[in-house]
Amino acid sequence: MAIAKLNTKYPEIEADGLTYLYGVKVDRKWFFFDGPYLAVPREFYQKDTSKPLSVEILKSIAMEEIFRGYLKKNKQSGELEINDGFFASLTGNGGCADCKTQAQWDSVYLATVRENWKNRDTSTYHPLQ
């Protein structure tokens, strides 16, 4: 999923953006987490950079930049549909070649998340004054 973020708080920044939102289902529970933020300079899409981009423009950018691998066009209808091939590496044996059950895969996935959490950046950042 993507969350459109219209910048109305900082008028000196002439950009809006999209935040990736990921979800994974483990043990019949959904876990959601933020992914990268895609900054979108207004000057690339409109002349008046003092106004936020429209939701339609951000949706179009999300479809091209964020969902490109997740979705594909149906050959008969031309409509977008989920690209199951993209997700096969995430839900099949992509993360665990030896896994035989969903519980084993869940365990490997959660171990990876725990390892990533241990290696996170814990620096304290101070905004520019």
Side-chain angles (χ1 to χ4, degrees), residues 100-111:
K100 305 261 188 280
T101 66
Q102 185 64 45
Q104 290 172 325
W105 187 90
D106 290 350
S107 175
V108 169
Y109 189 86
L110 289 173

Side-chain angles (χ1 to χ4, degrees), residues 2-7 15-18 37-42 45 52-67:
I3 300 170
K5 295 195 174 176
L6 302 177
N7 174 24
D16 300 296
L18 297 158
Y37 176 77
L38 176 65
V40 182
R42 294 175 186 160
Y45 298 94
L53 295 170
S54 70
V55 172
E56 290 78 23
I57 289 174
L58 288 172
K59 179 182 176 185
S60 172
I61 294 166
M63 295 304 287
E64 179 60 29
E65 300 297 328
I66 295 176
F67 303 126

Side-chain angles (χ1 to χ4, degrees), residues 3-128:
I3 300 170
K5 295 195 174 176
L6 302 177
N7 174 24
T8 57
K9 190 172 180 180
Y10 303 101
E12 70 279 7
I13 299 174
E14 296 176 335
D16 300 296
L18 297 158
T19 296
Y20 292 57
L21 183 67
Y22 296 113
V24 63
K25 192 174 185 181
V26 177
D27 290 332
R28 290 174 282 188
K29 294 181 207 166
W30 279 99
F31 296 88
F32 296 94
F33 48 96
D34 286 348
Y37 176 77
L38 176 65
V40 182
R42 294 175 186 160
E43 66 183 321
F44 292 176
Y45 298 94
Q46 64 191 26
K47 288 185 181 188
D48 185 355
T49 59
S50 67
K51 294 182 181 171
L53 295 170
S54 70
V55 172
E56 290 78 23
I57 289 174
L58 288 172
K59 179 182 176 185
S60 172
I61 294 166
M63 295 304 287
E64 179 60 29
E65 300 297 328
I66 295 176
F67 303 126
R68 179 180 24 206
Y70 308 136
L71 300 174
K72 65 178 181 178
K73 282 193 178 181
N74 180 292
K75 291 179 182 176
Q76 283 82 29
S77 69
E79 297 288 317
L80 291 174
E81 63 184 19
I82 294 172
N83 179 4
D84 291 326
F86 177 87
F87 293 97
S89 66
L90 299 174
T91 59
N93 288 338
C96 180
D98 298 328
C99 292
K100 305 261 188 280
T101 66
Q102 185 64 45
Q104 290 172 325
W105 187 90
D106 290 350
S107 175
V108 169
Y109 189 86
L110 289 173
T112 300
V113 170
R114 277 191 294 277
E115 190 63 28
N116 287 343
W117 184 252
K118 284 195 295 188
N119 295 321
R120 73 190 182 281
D121 184 354
T122 58
S123 303
T124 302
Y125 295 97
H126 301 283
L128 298 174

